[in-house]
């Protein structure tokens, strides 16, 4: 019998001062049985950094040929492909041919090593790469509840989250623009 995902519900008051974007997001996020809480929260942060109409979480880990988050146009053209983690170069090369915009948000302990090894190949692609520091993601994960109301402010590429269990500051470090 297959394990079912754990469902989390977020109400996020988003104030993105960098993009002049303000909204209240009602997100239902399925945590895949093999997914860590840290990875799930990196997905939530990536969504908030790119929030706009039509942006959706995909089935992600369950479907290897889909990103974690995407946006499709009315003509079903792939507008945005957003991956969380340390994807293989070939996967992102293919994505850059399919989507108008490709972004990667890496977040874990091996993030720096991954970037050192892959940086020269990724430089050839029109993709944006950013990193969330692992200790900040771990702290953020410690604040998560199954149902949360929180506020998220984004200013100068730093995310400030306030929730019932505490606050977190998560820098989004640009590796490739």
């Amino acid at each position: 019998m297959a394990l079912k995902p754990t469902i989390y519900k977020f109400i996020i008051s988003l104030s993105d001062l960098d993009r002049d974007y303000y909204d209240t997001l009602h997100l239902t996020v399925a945590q895949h049985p093999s997914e860590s809480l840290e990875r799930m929260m990196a997905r939530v942060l990536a969504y908030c950094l790119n929030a706009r109409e039509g942006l959706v979480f995909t089935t992600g880990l369950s479907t290897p040929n889909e990103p974690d988050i995407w946006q499709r146009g009315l003509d079903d053209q792939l507008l945005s492909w957003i991956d969380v983690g340390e994807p293989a170069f070939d996967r992102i090369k293919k994505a850059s041919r399919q989507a108008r915009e490709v972004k990667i948000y890496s977040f874990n302990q091996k993030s720096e090593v991954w970037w050192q090894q892959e940086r020269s190949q990724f430089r050839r692609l029109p993709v944006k790469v950013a990193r969330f520091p692992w200790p900040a993601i771990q702290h953020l994960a410690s604040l998560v509840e199954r149902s949360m109301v929180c506020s998220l402010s984004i200013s100068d590429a730093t995310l400030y989250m306030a929730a019932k269990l505490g606050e977190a500051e998560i820098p989004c470090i640009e590796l490739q623009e």
Side-chain angles (χ1 to χ4, degrees), residues 92-160:
I92 299 304
K93 183 178 178 182
K94 182 178 177 183
S96 69
R97 292 180 180 147
Q98 295 175 348
R100 287 187 191 170
E101 169 189 65
V102 177
K103 293 183 179 182
I104 301 167
Y105 294 92
S106 95
F107 68 92
N108 65 36
Q109 291 175 314
K110 62 185 178 186
S111 180
E112 289 183 49
V113 172
W114 166 80
W115 183 243
Q116 292 302 322
Q117 293 173 346
E118 301 291 336
R119 160 172 63 191
S120 61
Q121 287 187 307
F122 278 99
R123 295 264 187 236
R124 300 182 305 194
L125 300 177
V127 300
K128 295 179 181 177
V129 184
R131 179 175 61 85
F132 300 124
W134 179 240
I137 290 293
Q138 286 180 303
H139 176 64
L140 177 61
S142 74
L143 306 177
V144 175
E145 300 176 279
R146 292 279 302 274
S147 182
M148 317 181 41
V149 176
C150 56
S151 64
L152 180 67
S153 297
I154 303 169
S155 178
D156 294 328
T158 301
L159 297 88
Y160 303 93

Side-chain angles (χ1 to χ4, degrees), residues 10-175:
F10 298 91
I11 299 174
I12 302 173
S13 296
L14 177 63
S15 299
D16 188 338
L17 303 170
D18 293 343
R19 295 188 302 144
D20 200 25
Y21 182 87
Y22 308 92
D23 200 356
T24 299
L25 307 175
H26 296 264
L27 303 178
T28 299
V29 182
Q31 180 188 17
H32 191 275
S34 67
E35 180 178 39
S36 69
L37 199 54
E38 289 84 1
R39 185 180 190 287
M40 183 192 77
M41 289 310 295
R43 286 194 299 129
V44 170
L45 293 179
Y47 184 96
C48 291
L49 281 165
N50 295 280
R52 60 185 169 267
E53 191 170 335
L55 194 68
V56 295
F57 289 106
T58 66
T59 52
L61 291 174
S62 302
T63 311
N65 59 345
E66 290 182 0
D68 291 292
I69 302 164
W70 68 13
Q71 178 189 22
R72 290 193 168 277
L74 295 175
D75 58 356
D76 205 37
Q77 182 178 2
L78 190 52
L79 302 176
S80 292
W81 173 293
I82 301 170
D83 257 338
V84 173
E86 292 74 37
F89 172 76
D90 291 338
R91 172 185 172 81
I92 299 304
K93 183 178 178 182
K94 182 178 177 183
S96 69
R97 292 180 180 147
Q98 295 175 348
R100 287 187 191 170
E101 169 189 65
V102 177
K103 293 183 179 182
I104 301 167
Y105 294 92
S106 95
F107 68 92
N108 65 36
Q109 291 175 314
K110 62 185 178 186
S111 180
E112 289 183 49
V113 172
W114 166 80
W115 183 243
Q116 292 302 322
Q117 293 173 346
E118 301 291 336
R119 160 172 63 191
S120 61
Q121 287 187 307
F122 278 99
R123 295 264 187 236
R124 300 182 305 194
L125 300 177
V127 300
K128 295 179 181 177
V129 184
R131 179 175 61 85
F132 300 124
W134 179 240
I137 290 293
Q138 286 180 303
H139 176 64
L140 177 61
S142 74
L143 306 177
V144 175
E145 300 176 279
R146 292 279 302 274
S147 182
M148 317 181 41
V149 176
C150 56
S151 64
L152 180 67
S153 297
I154 303 169
S155 178
D156 294 328
T158 301
L159 297 88
Y160 303 93
M161 183 173 277
K164 180 180 165 186
L165 297 180
E167 299 175 351
E169 180 177 326
I170 308 101
C172 183
I173 302 162
E174 184 180 300
L175 301 175

